[in-house]
Amino acid sequence: MSFTNLSREIPTGDLAGFVGSTVKAFRVLAYRAPDGQLDSDDDGLLEITLAAGNSFHVTSNSYGEDLQAFAGSWIDPFAGPQSPANQSYLTEHGKWEPIDLTDSPPWQELVGGTIQDVQLMATPDSPPHGVRFRIEDHWVDVEIGGDKTKVRIDGKPANAR
């Protein structure tokens, strides 16, 4: 599932243009099931807000196998009042919600850090299925596969849920 609406897609190769930018905040998504439980097995996307005020996010494409990048913050398609049909759907199926990791260890150590490198993850015969950001001495990975998005910092799961 693609989580983006009203955001401008940017070519994944252009992510290298963020090298030298200072990081201000991090968010991922979590799926909240109808019973209220958060799914910690899928991070949905990684959103990075920069000190300059702009943000971008990386997530899977609509079929859940390849990387896509978008300028701007993730916009919740179910924000605000809902039609009866949408409310029924949300009650039955749950929804994605943003989780701010900015003040959570170890993410808080990266706030104020500079993006020093960006490396796309791909095989020679396929589009990118992930990206690595080096922020100071840490690696933040976003990897897409099996219709799930995994975000890791230094190889460990991103979510502190």
Side-chain angles (χ1 to χ4, degrees):
M1 168 184 277
S2 181
F3 300 106
T4 305
N5 61 350
L6 304 177
S7 295
R8 180 179 57 86
E9 185 172 4
I10 55 177
T12 54
D14 288 357
L15 290 170
F18 293 111
V19 169
S21 299
T22 301
V23 175
K24 180 180 175 183
F26 297 96
R27 290 195 316 172
V28 294
L29 291 183
Y31 193 79
R32 187 170 299 280
D35 65 3
Q37 296 296 312
L38 287 177
D39 177 2
S40 61
D41 193 39
D42 190 345
D43 298 308
L45 60 76
L46 174 68
E47 179 181 289
I48 299 177
T49 301
L50 305 172
N54 54 327
S55 62
F56 65 95
H57 59 280
V58 290
T59 186
S60 66
N61 60 7
S62 60
Y63 54 92
E65 293 299 324
D66 299 327
L67 183 74
Q68 281 188 301
F70 296 88
S73 295
W74 176 74
I75 299 168
D76 183 351
F78 293 107
Q82 297 299 310
S83 69
N86 279 353
Q87 189 56 53
S88 176
Y89 177 86
L90 294 173
T91 300
E92 184 176 339
H93 298 285
K95 70 177 269 187
W96 290 95
E97 62 183 59
I99 305 293
D100 188 340
L101 298 174
T102 305
D103 295 326
S104 300
W107 295 92
Q108 63 193 23
E109 297 173 31
L110 280 66
V111 174
T114 301
I115 298 173
Q116 297 178 346
D117 193 11
V118 176
Q119 299 176 359
L120 293 177
M121 298 178 198
T123 60
D125 299 328
S126 71
H129 63 271
V131 62
R132 303 187 80 202
F133 298 96
R134 185 164 60 93
I135 303 171
E136 299 303 328
D137 294 328
H138 300 277
W139 285 99
V140 175
D141 298 341
V142 180
E143 194 161 7
I144 312 299
D147 205 27
K148 300 226 182 249
T149 300
K150 300 288 188 180
V151 178
R152 294 182 178 87
I153 179 169
D154 296 327
K156 297 176 186 147
N159 52 50
R161 302 176 218 156

